[in-house]
Amino acid sequence: MIFNQEPHDLLSTMHKQHAHDKENDRMETGSFPVVRRRRRDGGGSDGSARTRFVTGLLITLLCAMLGFGYAIQLNNPTSSYEAMSEDELTRLISETSTQVQNLEQRKSELTSQLNALKAAADKQQEAARIAKENEETSGLLSGRLPARGQGVVISISQGQKTPVDAATLFQLIEELRNAGVEVMALNSVRVVTSTYVVDIKGGLQADGVALKPPYTVKAIGDPQNLQNAVNIAGGVGSRLKVKFGSDVRVSTPDTVIINEIRAPRTYTYAKTVE
């Protein structure tokens, strides 16, 4: 009788499995049903939730421990000062103050040295500038250097009545000097403080150089003042026209160039002081 019951149970089990498979094969929902694995311990979803909770708890604990260790590392310098005694802290403050004072004193010394160096450099630079300026001025006055600038060019023809004499030409030079001329040339002769003009047979001579008419005077200075010195009524220009019958013309070009120079004088006993 037990034998007859086992087929019946097997047949029932097959019918139930077929019905269950047919239920799983339905496609009305458009997706396959989820087949869950059976757990032998019978825990089901409660065991999975417990595992996730324990895992999250462990991760949180681990993060907390890492953060605590990092905070300890950051606070190590402070904790080293906190562990020092009052005497040690006082000594440390005293040493720091001494170092600050030494650095301030060193800064003051370096600043003083820098100011002294700047002052010395400025003095040397200023002295060099003045020396160069004096050298240029001396070169222009002595006729050793060429010059250019604003001024006038005076042209004097040979007198129709009588030849121009040395005294009148020298008077013209003096009138230009009084008008503030800075650099001057008479024909090919550079005019300096020692320049002279004399009468010679057939004309004039300046500093040993023969002058032939027309006489050309190039003068650098204020153009208006120099022009007035020549054209003033009763002045040297009027005398040249009236007495000698010369044609006197004064032009004011943009730039007057004087390339006539004089070689430095050589002395037997005197020497230049450097």
Side-chain angles (χ1 to χ4, degrees), residues 22 25 29-30 35 64 69 72 92 99 114 118 123 128 136 165 178-179 189 199 211-212 225 245 248 251 258 267 273:
K22 186 176 181 180
D25 291 340
T29 60
V35 180
I72 291 177
L92 182 61
Q99 292 178 1
L114 179 61
K118 287 183 177 180
K123 289 180 180 179
E136 292 178 354
D165 58 10
N178 294 335
V189 178
D199 295 305
L211 303 178
K212 299 294 182 181
N225 293 339
V248 181
S251 61
I258 299 179
Y267 300 93
V273 178

Side-chain angles (χ1 to χ4, degrees), residues 53-79:
F53 175 76
V54 173
T55 303
L57 183 61
L58 292 175
I59 293 174
T60 303
L61 182 60
L62 180 61
C63 291
M65 293 177 64
L66 290 175
F68 180 72
Y70 182 69
I72 291 177
Q73 290 294 329
L74 290 179
N75 293 330
N76 272 339
T78 304
S79 61

Side-chain angles (χ1 to χ4, degrees), residues 9 23 73 127 165-166 180 196 219 235 259 265 271:
D9 294 338
E23 182 68 20
Q73 290 294 329
D165 58 10
Y196 64 89
N259 291 324
R265 295 182 61 180
K271 294 183 180 179

Side-chain angles (χ1 to χ4, degrees), residues 71-259:
I72 291 177
Q73 290 294 329
L74 290 179
N75 293 330
N76 272 339
T78 304
S79 61
S80 61
Y81 290 117
E82 292 178 352
M84 297 176 65
S85 64
E86 183 177 355
D87 294 338
E88 292 176 343
L89 290 174
T90 303
R91 180 182 55 81
L92 182 61
I93 294 174
S94 178
E95 292 177 354
T96 304
S97 300
T98 303
Q99 292 178 1
V100 171
Q101 292 177 0
N102 293 336
L103 291 175
E104 290 291 341
Q105 182 178 359
R106 183 56 178 167
K107 177 184 176 182
S108 178
E109 293 176 356
L110 293 177
T111 303
S112 300
Q113 293 178 3
L114 179 61
N115 294 334
L117 290 175
K118 287 183 177 180
D122 293 341
K123 289 180 180 179
Q124 292 179 358
Q125 184 176 2
E126 184 66 15
R129 185 189 66 80
I130 294 175
K132 183 178 180 180
E133 183 177 350
N134 292 337
E135 181 181 2
E136 292 178 354
T137 302
S138 176
L140 292 176
L141 294 177
S142 62
R144 295 183 293 103
L145 298 177
R148 61 187 302 162
Q150 294 182 341
V152 297
V153 177
I154 306 168
S155 178
I156 305 170
S157 66
Q158 177 65 284
Q160 298 296 328
K161 299 179 181 180
T162 181
V164 178
D165 58 10
T168 303
L169 199 56
F170 189 79
Q171 183 182 358
L172 174 62
I173 294 175
E174 290 298 315
E175 290 292 339
L176 292 174
R177 285 174 175 169
N178 294 335
V181 70
E182 296 177 355
V183 181
M184 189 167 26
L186 174 59
N187 284 14
S188 61
V189 178
R190 179 71 171 266
V191 178
V192 294
T193 55
S194 60
T195 296
Y196 64 89
V197 181
V198 296
D199 295 305
I200 61 173
K201 185 178 180 179
L204 301 175
Q205 187 184 77
D207 293 343
V209 179
L211 303 178
K212 299 294 182 181
Y215 307 110
T216 302
V217 179
K218 294 184 289 185
I220 295 177
D222 184 87
Q224 189 64 40
N225 293 339
L226 298 179
Q227 191 174 11
N228 292 339
V230 178
N231 295 330
I232 189 172
V236 65
S238 300
R239 183 180 178 185
L240 287 168
K241 294 177 182 179
V242 174
K243 180 178 179 180
F244 300 97
S246 299
D247 183 19
V248 181
R249 298 181 181 180
V250 181
S251 61
T252 56
D254 295 335
T255 304
V256 177
I257 301 176
I258 299 179
N259 291 324

